[in-house]
Each structure stands twice: as structure tokens, then as C-alpha cells.
């Protein structure tokens, strides 16, 4: 069965609506094959699906090898990614794949990549942002309050969308928070992939380009781990794309109150889930309105402008910012000022520019670095070669908007050389790659894959190029040494809470009760606050820092003062801090002396100082984790 | 206001199925059935599929035109409705499993009813794969799912396996009004271990209790400590070794 947009519009819509549909989304020649599932599942579809599943299995083997310290971990890691990506890339490039097959492949690729993250740690949420939101879910479930203070990231408590979602699922199913978190993000990943496919298909008029757009999106450096973690942005971004899809559908379908109400509800969910996602969506809708006005004026044809959705979204976001989450202003301005200061410092020569791949966590081998450069280079070439394609369709407002987003990609790249602004550049890729994927894939599918000469060679090359783009993007996205779980037998400073730290946090909850005032190192702070429900010392809002307590070699009056001013009742000491220097450069917080320049670890005697100092009782011991109670005076 | 006209849908089976499914899922949640798999399926359906499916039904014939957009709408709107309903219930401190389940089930039924009322004709038929190819696709998906489940199980096994040696946690809380402290020992070892809890004072080391713990097991005991000028230590010995395996301290009160 095939679906003709024009014919469908004529069935029950006005002439204006038809014109709007054509101008905004569908060109007159636009026809999509509406068979969603492979009505005749090709052997290719079966191969790609099984290869992706095998990729997940090999990824699990890589994780296992990494935990056992085996040298085969890197080879297994790359084989797993190739198994997931290469067959799918080849098939998505092929002209004979049906729409449903492409959509199925895209969904399977997205879910396979998500399962790779699940295999990293199936029983526990281990990335730092995940602990932040576990704390939010815990507060929602156990105190019934949505906006309770979150010592790990206060602004996260003001956006309860993910906490409500996982909390509701946890309450209804009776599953632990970590498991419900995995289910929620898996569902969100499915929404992301299908939404992106349908958006790209609408804008490019081709399911082939839509499949390739999703493949390119998978290349965004945050896709494998960052966007798959249990974090508010991981839920909000799919809802943003879902909102955009609904707006595009509204543009094509004409006025529909039911759809408008559903879109409004979706946008409200975005507003209460994540700040930047809501602002990005609002900005995109405003630009869309402006572009629509320009096109309408230039051509005299009716063009849909999402004025009402944009207005409602902005009103809701501003109201939320003003009444529920004013702390967001401080949070975002702080990030922005750090980035700005970093840029100024590099320009004025006060600091050296940041080296690429200099993030903590080891330097990748040369071939991996080359792969990353190749990926970026291919995408930049792709964006510029797609400009003529978009220009010929400049009346399609949303496509032009996608080009505008894509052009941000090369513009933001120089920020990677600036220490303070690198995070901004990296985090923006999740949004920017939506435009990059749509534009590059649309141009690529028409210009390069469209011609019939040397088709077989071109298809093979396209699959390989797609794989290089994805693998290169993934290589650029995560600390190289942390792309697989840590070796259990290795000594050194842990970069994520391990079994003993989790046990200590759980003991603190059951035996001491939640809400106790703790001081600890940065990693244990996560488990104490999230799994123990404790109020951990946090330098930006408290009057003391943990390093003031732990770094001095003896219990000096300054240490006592820091404990007093921080109202600290318990100290958690991780003895392995003396076994190395953390990859992040700091043990407690970024403001500690020697942060980022430290070469020697904390002496073991410094960490043992509470054993014999008066006024401290060791109340928990699990081997390398000890908890001390600060005894009250008198 | 335009009067809503009730027209019975010509293909009511999906509406009825959705409503029945919502009621069954709510019943499972409200009855607090402890069979985890059943509750997992019911809870996930109630939070992640049914409300969105009902909302999508209202859009069908226009926006939801094939399985892909139906699947997207079902999951997407379900997440949205779960967030919004949960936000309201948590906001008024009325969020319990039953209330959350009831609201989501009510949403599903209400939206399905609304969709039925506003629908002016039959749904457009969704394209369906033919029988044989659906079976083939289904088999491949089941096989792939099996491989993925094996992968996650392998990863879980590797994560929970004891590669770096087990450990035992040793904690103390108190004192109570009678100067009694509660000591807890929890074994995270890989094999059964024998333990001795002893009290060390200036008078020497005195065993308090001997016991054996299997992996994952825990034991608690109460220890009385008279007021003392010096620090008292509670130590844990393991597997007959005289070495202190773990130790805790009870500090005398600090002078003001």
C-alpha cells in the first residue's frame, strides 16, 4: 500500500490545508510508502537485525573482558560496534529497501546501541548524572515531594519530569528505581529514533534519506552513553523531537484541536522535564515562525507558522522558570560565563588552547583519533554539499530550519579547543546532529546515491562511509579509558561507586537513616546522596568544602572549623584515594588545591588521620571504605 | 456548543481491547499482585502504552496513518500522560500505586471514549504484513531478542561476579539509653565465613559472639559498653585468623 499525501489531503481537507501541506512539508512529488513493517522481510533485514543483536552480545563480552582486565576488550568493543552499524549502514543506503524495513532497522540500531549501555552496568546506574536523578526519584517516592533539595545538582530537583515518570513506573510495577530507569530510557530511545525518522522523511520526502539521517544522528558523540543514561535530557530530547513531529503533522493535516491539545501536553511535559530542551524547542519554533513569514511574503502562498505552539511553549517555559525553577538562571549563566571566560582566556593568551582528546580518561590510539577527524570532515563536507539541495527547496521552511541547525556544527567545533567551553560544544551535539542528519542525508541520498552510475560501488562506499562516521563520532564522545567498565582487580582511584561504596551508602540509609550530613570524596558523594538519601556537603551552597576536611595531614583546627561550619556529622573515607590520582584531577571538588595539576596521590596517613584523632568514632568498616561519626562535644 | 453525536464505531474491537486491557492492568496493580513478571507487564502497559494508544485513537484517520506513527504515538503520548498525571498526583501528595494506576486507567478509558465519540467513521485500516512474512519477521525478532537477553544476562553476571575478592561490612549504631550498641555484620563474600566479634578495652580483647555467615547473609548483636575514659574498639575476626579483619571504635565523649 502506498500513501499519497495530496490524495489523502483531498479526502477530507480544504484546499488551503493541501497547499500548506505541500509548502511546509511535502513537495508535490512527495510520496511515501506507508507499509511500516517489511511486508516481505528481506534477507538483509534479518541479517541486520541478527548482526545488531550479536553486536550487543559482543559488547557484553567486551564489558566482561574489561572487568577481568583482558587485553581483548578493545578489539571486542570495536567489533561489536561494527556488527551493529555496518550491515545497517549498507542496507539503509540501498535503494530497494522498503520504508518499513528502514524504519525497523533504525529502531533496532537505536535500541541495540542502548542495550550496549545497559550491558555496561545492568544492575546499577553508574554514571554521575544517573545518581542525580535516582535521588530525585527516591525523594518523590519516599517523601512524596517533587521539589526536595537535591544535594548532587539542585537544579535537577526543579525539573521533576523524569523523577515522576520513573517514580510512577516504579510505584506501579514494584521494580527498583534502577530497573525502571532503564525501561524509561529505552522507551524514550524508541521515541527518539522513530520521531527522527518520520521528521526526516517528511522534510526530505524520502524514506531512504530518513534512514540515513538516523544513521548520521547515531554518530553524535553523546549517543552511545550520554544520551542513554538515566538523565532528564535523555527523556526530554525524544519528547522534543516528538513535539516537532506533531507540529509537522499539524502543518500537514490542517487545524485539529485534538492534535493541538496533545501537542500542548507534550510540550508541557518537555518544560517540566528539562530546561535546555524546552528552550531549544522554543527557539526552533520561533525561527520556524519567522522563516514561514518570510516565505509567505516572498511567495504569497499560505505557509503554516507554529505561532500558537511556540507561544504556549514559551509562556509555559517562562512561567516555570519564574515560579518553579528560578535557580536555572544561575545554573545556566554559570555555565555560560565559564565558557565565555574560557574563550576570552584563550583569545588573550592567558591559557593555552585545549588539546583535542585531552579529556580525562586516557588518550586514544592514533587510528581512533584519525577516525574521529574523518567523521567530522565527512559531515562538514556533507553539510556544504547539501546546501544547493536545500536551496532548491527553500520554500520548505522546516528543511531550511534543519540546515540552520546543521550549520551550527562547524561553527561550534572551535569551542572544543577551549577548556571552559568544550562541554557546551559537546552537549550541543545531541541537538545539532538532528539538523546535520536530516540535511546531510537528504543531500547525500539525492546527489550521490541518486545517480545510477556505478551503483554497487557507491552503495558499498556509502555503507562504509556511514560506518566511519558513526564509529568516529562515538570515538570522540566519551573518555577513552572509561568507555568500558573498570577492571575489578585494578588498584587506583575508582571513577564510579563500586560494591563497597554502594554497601556503605545502603548501610547509612538503613542504620543511620536518610538525611544525615555527610562529607566524602566526589565519587562517594554520588552513592551517599542517591542510594543513601543523605545530605552531602556541596561546596557551592555550603560554607565548607570536603577537601578542607580530608586534605590536611592531621586534624587541625581548620579541619574542625570546616566540619563545624559544614554541620558535618559523618565522614566517609575511601582509602583507595591514596592509590592514585583521579582522572578528573580532583578528589573532592574542582576548587581543591592542586586540582587538575596533581601528580602525587593523597598519602595514606592523611586518610587514616581520623582513626586516632579524638572526637571521631569509626562506625562502619567494609575494607577500603570507612565511616566516622563526629562525636558531639560535652 | 456543538452537540456530540454518539456513533458506534464500525471497528470497535481495538477500543474495547484497550479499555479491557486498562482495567485488567489496573486490577493487577491495585491487587498488589506480587508475581513480578505479571506486574511488570501490567505496569509497563499502563504507563508506557495504553494511555497513548487511547489518545492516538482520537488522532487516527488523520495523523496516525500507519503502524510506525501509531507505535510512536502510543509510547510518546503514554510517557507524556504519565509525566503529567504523575506530576499532578505527586504534587498533591496523593501518589500511591493504586491512585497512579487508577488515574492512568481512567485516562485510557476516558480518551478511548472521547475518541469513539469524535470519530465520524471507521478507522482507516492499518497496513498489515502478510501472514508468512510476519511469522518470518517475528522469528527473527524473537531470535534477536534472545541474543540480547543473553547479552544482558552475561553483563549482569560479569558485573555481580566477585572478581576482586569479597568483602564484609561491619557497622555499629547507638548507643541506646542503656549504653547498648547495635552491631551489624553483613557478608558479601563468595563463600561461607566464620566470624568472631570481640570487644577490645584497656583490659584486653574479649570475644562477644561467634557465628557463620553465608554469602549475602547478615547478623546483628547488641553490645553493652560501660562509660569509659578511653576508646573502646569492637573488632571482627574472620576464619580463625587472629588479625583484625574489621574494626570499629566507640569514642569517649569529647570535652567541650
Amino acid at each position: 500500500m502506498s500513501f499519497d499525501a495530496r490524495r489523502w489531503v483531498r479526502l477530507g481537507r480544504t484546499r488551503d490545508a493541501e497547499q500548506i501541506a505541500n509548502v511546509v512539508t511535502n513537495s508535490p512529488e512527495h510520496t511515501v510508502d506507508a507499509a511500516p513493517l517489511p511486508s516481505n522481510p528481506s534477507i538483509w533485514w534479518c541479517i541486520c537485525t541478527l548482526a545488531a543483536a550479536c553486536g550487543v552480545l559482543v559488547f557484553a563480552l567486551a564489558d566482561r573482558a574489561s572487568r577481568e582486565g583482558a587485553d581483548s576488550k578493545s578489539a571486542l568493543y570495536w567489533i561489536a560496534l561494527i556488527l551493529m552499524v555496518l550491515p545497517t549502514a549498507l542496507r539503509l543506503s540501498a535503494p530497494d529497501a522498503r520504508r518499513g524495513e528502514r524504519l525497523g532497522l533504525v529502531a533496532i540500531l537505536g535500541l541495540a546501541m542502548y542495550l550496549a549501555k545497559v550491558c555496561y552496568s545492568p544492575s546499577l546506574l553508574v554514571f554521575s548524572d544517573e545518581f542525580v536523578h535516582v535521588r530525585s526519584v527516591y525523594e518523590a517516592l519516599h517523601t512524596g515531594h517533587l521539589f526536595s533539595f537535591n544535594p548532587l545538582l539542585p537544579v535537577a530537583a526543579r525539573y521533576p519530569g523524569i523523577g515522576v515518570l520513573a517514580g510512577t513506573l516504579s510505584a506501579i510495577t514494584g521494580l527498583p528505581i534502577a530497573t525502571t530507569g532503564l525501561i524509561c530510557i529505552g522507551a524514550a530511545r524508541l521515541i527518539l529514533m522513530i520521531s527522527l525518522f518520520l521528521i526526516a522523511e517528511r522534510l526530505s520526502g524520502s524514506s531512504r534519506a530518513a534512514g540515513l539521517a538516523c544513521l548520521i544522528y547515531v554518530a553524535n558523540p553523546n549517543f552511545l552513553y550520554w544520551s542513554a543514561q538515566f538523565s532528564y535530557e535523555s527523556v526530554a530530547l525524544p519528547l522534543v523531537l516528538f513535539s516537532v513531529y506533531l507540529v509537522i503533522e499539524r502543518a500537514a493535516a490542517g487545524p485539529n484541536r485534538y492534535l493541538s491539545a496533545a501537542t500542548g501536553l507534550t510540550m508541557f511535559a518537555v518544560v517540566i522535564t528539562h530546561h535546555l530542551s524546552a528552550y531549544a524547542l522554543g527557539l526552533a519554533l520561533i525561527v520556524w515562525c519567522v522563516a514561514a513569514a518570510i516565505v509567505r511574503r516572498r511567495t504569497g502562498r499560505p505557509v503554516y507558522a507554529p505561532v500558537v505552539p511556540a507561544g504556549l511553549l514559551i509562556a509555559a517555559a517562562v512561567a516555570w522558570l519564574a515560579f518553579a525553577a528560578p535557580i536555572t538562571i544561575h545554573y545556566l549563566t554559570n555555565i555560560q560565563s565559564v565558557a565565555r571566560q574560557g574563550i576570552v582566556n584563550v583569545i588573550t593568551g592567558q591559557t593555552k588552547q585545549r588539546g583535542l582528546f585531552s579529556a580525562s580518561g586516557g588518550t586514544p590510539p592514533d587510528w581512533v583519533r584519525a577516525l574521529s577527524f574523518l567523521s567530522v570532515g565527512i559531515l562538514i563536507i556533507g553539510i556544504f554539499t547539501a546546501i544547493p539541495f536545500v536551496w532548491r527547496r527553500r520554500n520548505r521552511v522546516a528543511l531550511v530550519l534543519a540546515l540552520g541547525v546543521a550549520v551550527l556544527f562547524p561553527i561550534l567545533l572551535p569551542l572544543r579547543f577551549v577548556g571552559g567551553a568544550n562541554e557546551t560544544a559537546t552537549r550541543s551535539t545531541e541537538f545539532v546532529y538532528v539538523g546535520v542528519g536530516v540535511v546531510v542525508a537528504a543531500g547525500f541520498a539525492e546527489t550521490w546515491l541518486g545517480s545510477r552510475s556505478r551503483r554497487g560501488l557507491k552503495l558499498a562506499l556509502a555503507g562504509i562511509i556511514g560506518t566511519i562516521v558513526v564509529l568516529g563520532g562515538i570515538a570522540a564522545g566519551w573518555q577513552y579509558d572509561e568507555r568500558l567498565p573498570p577492571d575489578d582487580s585494578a588498584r587506583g582511584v575508582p571513577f564510579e561507586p563500586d560494591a563497597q561504596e554502594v554497601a556503605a551508602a545502603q548501610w547509612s540509609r538503613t542504620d543511620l537513616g536518610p538525611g544525615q550530613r555527610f562529607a566524602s570524596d566526589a565519587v562517594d558523594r554520588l552513592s551517599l546522596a542517591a542510594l543513601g538519601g543523605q545530605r552531602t556537603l556541596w561546596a557551592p551552597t555550603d560554607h565548607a568544602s570536603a577537601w578542607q576536611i580530608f586534605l590536611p595531614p592531621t586534624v587541625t583546627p581548620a579541619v574542625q572549623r570546616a566540619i563545624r561550619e559544614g554541620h558535618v556529622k559523618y565522614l566517609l573515607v575511601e582509602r583507595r584515594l591514596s592509590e592514585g590520582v583521579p582522572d578528573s584531577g580532583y578528589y573532592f571538588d574542582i576548587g581543591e588545591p592542586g586540582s587538575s595539576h596533581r601528580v602525587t596521590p593523597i598519602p595514606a596517613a592523611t586518610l587514616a588521620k581520623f582513626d586516632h584523632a579524638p572526637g571521631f568514632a569509626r562506625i562502619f568498616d567494609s575494607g577500603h571504605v570507612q565511616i566516622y561519626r563526629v562525636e558531639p562535644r560535652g | 456548543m456543538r452537540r456530540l453525536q454518539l456513533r458506534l464505531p464500525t471497528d470497535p474491537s481495538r477500543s474495547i481491547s484497550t479499555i479491557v486491557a486498562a482495567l485488567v492492568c489496573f486490577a493487577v496493580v491495585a491487587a498488589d499482585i506480587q508475581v513480578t513478571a505479571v506486574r511488570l507487564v501490567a505496569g509497563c502497559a499502563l504507563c508506557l502504552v495504553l494511555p497513548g494508544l487511547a489518545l492516538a485513537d482520537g488522532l487516527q484517520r488523520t495523523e496516525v496513518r500507519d503502524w510506525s506513527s501509531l507505535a510512536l504515538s502510543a509510547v510518546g503520548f503514554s510517557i507524556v500522560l504519565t509525566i503529567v498525571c504523575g506530576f499532578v498526583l505527586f504534587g498533591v501528595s496523593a501518589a500511591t500505586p493504586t491512585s497512579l494506576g487508577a488515574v492512568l486507567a481512567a485516562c485510557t478509558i476516558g480518551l478511548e471514549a472521547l475518541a469513539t465519540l469524535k470519530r465520524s467513521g471507521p478507522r482507516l485500516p492499518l497496513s498489515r504484513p502478510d501472514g508468512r512474512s510476519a511469522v518470518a519477521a517475528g522469528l527473527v525478532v524473537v531470535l534477536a531478542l534472545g541474543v540480547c537477553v543473553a547479552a544482558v544476562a552475561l553483563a549482569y553476571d560479569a558485573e555481580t561476579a566477585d572478581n576482586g575478592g569479597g568483602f564484609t561490612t561491619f557497622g555499629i549504631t547507638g548507643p541506646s539509653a542503656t549504653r547498648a550498641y547495635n552491631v551489624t555484620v553483613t557478608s558479601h563474600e563468595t563463600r561461607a565465613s566464620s566470624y568472631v566479634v570481640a570487644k577490645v578495652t584497656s583490659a584486653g580483647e574479649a570475644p562477644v559472639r561467634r557465628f557463620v555467615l553465608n554469602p549475602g547473609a547478615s547478623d546483628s548483636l547488641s553490645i553493652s559498653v560501660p562509660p569509659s575514659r578511653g576508646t573502646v574498639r569492637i573488632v571482627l575476626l574472620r576464619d580463625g585468623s587472629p588479625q583484625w579483619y574489621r574494626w570499629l571504635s566507640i569514642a569517649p565523649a569529647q570535652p567541650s
Side-chain angles (χ1 to χ4, degrees):
Chain A
M1 172 185 168
S2 70
F3 176 84
D4 184 328
R6 283 170 64 88
R7 188 169 143 262
W8 168 76
V9 168
R10 274 198 292 275
L11 286 175
R13 297 292 161 189
T14 63
R15 188 81 190 154
D16 282 349
E18 181 188 0
Q19 287 174 344
I20 287 169
N22 288 339
V23 171
V24 175
T25 55
N26 303 320
S27 63
E29 72 275 11
H30 175 67
T31 304
V32 288
D33 174 6
L37 282 171
S39 58
N40 180 16
S42 68
I43 188 74
W44 265 100
W45 186 82
C46 299
I47 290 172
C48 293
T49 304
L50 291 175
C54 291
V56 177
L57 186 63
V58 176
F59 211 101
L61 290 172
D63 287 332
R64 192 185 186 97
S66 179
R67 288 184 190 281
E68 292 169 354
D71 292 334
S72 58
K73 63 179 185 182
S74 279
L76 289 170
Y77 172 83
W78 291 109
I79 290 170
L81 289 176
I82 289 170
L83 273 172
M84 287 181 207
V85 177
L86 182 60
T88 303
L90 286 169
R91 189 58 187 154
L92 288 175
S93 310
D96 59 330
R98 299 193 63 170
R99 174 180 183 268
E101 184 182 349
R102 294 184 198 281
L103 184 53
L105 288 177
V106 160
I108 286 166
L109 178 63
L111 290 177
M113 299 285 248
Y114 176 64
L115 283 175
K117 186 268 169 191
V118 172
C119 287
Y120 188 104
S121 174
S123 67
L124 196 66
L125 301 167
V126 292
F127 297 148
S128 58
D129 278 32
E130 296 185 318
F131 287 95
V132 171
H133 298 289
V134 167
R135 167 75 183 218
S136 296
V137 182
Y138 171 82
E139 289 290 337
L141 281 175
H142 290 85
T143 68
H145 297 134
L146 286 181
F147 300 106
S148 301
F149 177 71
N150 188 330
L152 295 176
L153 186 63
V155 72
R158 315 312 293 180
Y159 292 87
I162 187 171
V164 164
L165 178 64
T168 302
L169 193 59
S170 181
I172 285 182
T173 59
L175 290 172
I177 294 170
T179 312
T180 52
L182 292 178
I183 294 172
C184 291
I185 304 301
R189 173 59 64 87
L190 192 66
I191 296 174
L192 183 128
M193 297 309 289
I194 299 179
S195 298
L196 185 58
F197 183 92
L198 295 177
I199 291 169
E201 185 184 53
R202 274 286 190 184
L203 300 190
S204 65
S206 155
S207 63
R208 189 186 196 185
L212 292 174
C214 293
L215 182 72
I216 292 170
Y217 185 79
V218 168
N220 105 58
N222 288 336
F223 190 81
L224 183 63
Y225 285 141
W226 182 270
S227 302
Q229 64 179 342
F230 180 62
S231 164
Y232 50 3
E233 195 174 325
S234 306
V235 172
L237 183 60
L239 291 182
V240 166
L241 291 184
F242 185 45
S243 303
V244 172
Y245 163 73
L246 292 174
V247 171
I248 289 176
E249 285 296 307
R250 158 65 185 81
N256 181 332
R257 275 179 294 179
Y258 201 77
L259 178 61
S260 300
T263 309
L265 216 55
T266 307
M267 288 179 174
F268 176 71
V270 173
V271 168
I272 67 170
T273 301
H274 187 232
H275 38 77
L276 274 180
S277 299
Y279 305 152
L281 179 59
L283 187 64
L285 292 178
I286 290 171
V287 175
W288 186 337
C289 291
V290 172
I294 293 169
V295 171
R296 187 185 298 160
R297 190 168 179 177
R298 198 170 57 79
T299 63
R301 299 172 67 184
V303 179
Y304 172 69
V307 177
V308 175
L312 285 175
L313 176 76
I314 290 163
V318 169
W320 191 264
L321 183 69
F323 298 112
I327 190 175
T328 314
I329 298 170
H330 172 74
Y331 174 72
L332 293 179
T333 50
N334 192 31
I335 292 174
Q336 188 232 345
S337 64
V338 168
R340 197 177 53 226
Q341 191 60 47
I343 293 168
V344 169
N345 286 349
V346 168
I347 290 172
T348 56
Q350 290 177 36
T351 55
K352 282 184 184 174
Q353 68 182 35
R354 177 182 171 275
L356 293 175
F357 300 98
S358 64
S360 56
T363 306
D366 289 343
W367 71 269
V368 173
R369 297 160 64 120
L371 201 64
S372 299
F373 287 123
L374 209 54
S375 172
V376 170
I378 290 168
L379 289 180
I380 291 175
I381 292 169
I383 291 168
F384 285 105
T385 52
I387 289 175
F389 168 83
V390 177
W391 185 247
R392 285 198 298 276
R393 289 154 184 80
R394 58 187 177 277
N395 287 348
R396 290 195 209 174
V397 177
L399 189 60
V400 176
L401 183 62
L403 178 64
V405 175
V407 169
L408 289 176
F409 176 65
I411 293 174
L412 290 173
L413 280 177
L415 294 185
R416 300 222 173 212
F417 293 96
V418 181
N422 174 50
E423 192 186 346
T424 306
T426 309
R427 295 280 294 276
S428 65
T429 55
E430 291 163 90
F431 298 92
V432 171
Y433 267 65
V434 174
V436 173
V438 171
V439 168
V440 173
F444 190 68
E446 180 174 284
T447 54
W448 206 64
L449 293 175
S451 68
R452 290 182 175 274
S453 62
R454 295 183 180 176
R455 176 170 274 188
L457 179 67
K458 278 185 177 177
L459 292 181
L461 267 178
I464 292 167
I465 288 172
T467 307
I468 289 172
V469 167
V470 174
L471 299 191
I474 289 171
W478 199 255
Q479 291 90 328
Y480 192 71
D481 283 353
E482 296 175 13
R483 72 201 189 287
L484 288 169
D487 180 356
D488 289 341
S489 60
R491 291 171 63 83
V493 183
F495 57 80
E496 61 188 45
D498 70 359
Q500 285 202 32
E501 289 156 338
V502 169
Q506 287 168 341
W507 178 85
S508 77
R509 179 196 289 278
T510 54
D511 286 40
L512 302 177
Q516 307 292 343
R517 186 63 153 165
F518 264 84
S520 73
D521 63 284
V523 172
D524 284 285
R525 199 168 71 86
L526 299 172
S527 54
L528 277 172
L531 308 176
Q534 310 300 354
R535 288 187 306 123
T536 47
L537 199 61
W538 195 59
T541 54
D542 295 320
H543 299 293
S545 292
W547 64 262
Q548 294 171 323
I549 298 169
F550 291 102
L551 282 184
T554 57
V555 181
T556 60
V559 172
Q560 299 277 17
R561 192 167 57 248
I563 289 173
R564 213 167 38 247
E565 290 177 353
H567 305 286
V568 175
K569 203 171 169 191
Y570 297 97
L571 307 169
L572 186 147
V573 177
E574 164 59 82
R575 294 300 176 102
R576 286 182 299 175
L577 298 187
S578 65
E579 293 177 2
V581 176
D583 289 333
S584 59
Y586 59 86
Y587 292 102
F588 302 99
D589 60 63
I590 201 153
E592 73 188 42
S595 167
S596 305
H597 310 293
R598 191 182 293 281
V599 286
T600 53
I602 302 179
T606 299
L607 295 174
K609 64 178 179 255
F610 302 109
D611 281 345
H612 305 290
F616 299 93
R618 189 198 272 203
I619 60 166
F620 176 88
D621 183 4
S622 68
H624 55 69
V625 176
Q626 280 98 40
I627 295 175
Y628 297 85
R629 181 172 59 213
V630 180
E631 296 294 335
R633 287 169 174 272
Chain B
M1 190 178 133
R2 204 178 61 177
R3 222 180 76 201
L4 283 171
Q5 289 186 322
L6 177 62
R7 294 190 184 91
L8 286 176
T10 52
D11 54 345
S13 56
R14 203 171 81 204
S15 301
I16 293 170
S17 320
T18 308
I19 290 171
V20 170
L23 288 172
V24 169
C25 291
F26 171 62
V28 169
V29 171
D32 197 17
I33 290 175
Q34 290 304 309
V35 183
T36 312
V38 174
R39 205 166 158 192
L40 170 67
V41 171
C44 286
L46 209 48
C47 289
L48 300 177
V49 180
L50 293 175
L53 192 63
L55 183 50
D57 265 352
L59 299 175
Q60 203 195 347
R61 191 178 159 75
T62 53
E63 289 71 31
V64 179
R65 62 179 185 276
D66 58 29
W67 285 101
S68 59
S69 50
L70 180 65
L72 173 63
S73 301
V75 181
F77 286 134
S78 291
I79 287 182
V80 168
L81 287 169
T82 303
I83 289 176
V84 173
C85 294
F87 175 69
V88 172
L89 284 178
F90 278 107
V92 297
S93 298
T96 63
T98 308
S99 67
L100 289 165
V103 167
L104 289 171
C107 257
T108 305
I109 294 166
L111 287 167
E112 198 61 71
L114 191 64
T116 304
L117 287 171
K118 79 184 273 285
R119 193 181 303 137
S120 56
R123 294 185 181 95
L124 282 181
L126 296 172
S127 59
R128 294 170 191 277
D130 69 73
R132 233 186 314 170
S133 54
V135 169
L139 279 176
V140 171
V141 168
V142 167
L143 191 59
L145 272 178
V147 174
C148 290
V149 169
V152 175
L154 187 74
Y156 180 83
D157 182 55
E159 187 188 29
T160 51
D162 183 21
N163 294 328
F167 64 96
T168 301
T169 64
F170 188 38
I172 187 169
T173 52
S176 65
T178 57
R179 296 285 303 168
Y181 289 82
N182 188 50
V183 174
T184 310
V185 182
T186 305
S187 168
H188 296 272
E189 308 285 352
T190 52
R191 55 182 173 74
S193 301
S194 61
Y195 297 96
V196 176
V197 175
K199 188 160 61 177
V200 180
T201 60
S202 53
E205 186 176 308
V208 179
R209 184 153 159 189
R210 298 171 193 277
F211 52 92
V212 175
L213 285 181
N214 288 319
S218 183
D219 198 3
S220 298
L221 62 149
S222 183
I223 295 179
S224 296
V225 179
S228 163
R229 283 180 173 275
T231 298
V232 176
R233 288 196 169 154
I234 311 294
V235 301
L236 183 71
L237 312 175
R238 190 180 71 145
D239 293 339
S241 167
Q243 289 274 338
W244 291 359
Y245 180 55
R246 305 276 184 261
W247 64 267
L248 307 170
S249 61
I250 298 169
Q254 211 178 354
S256 54

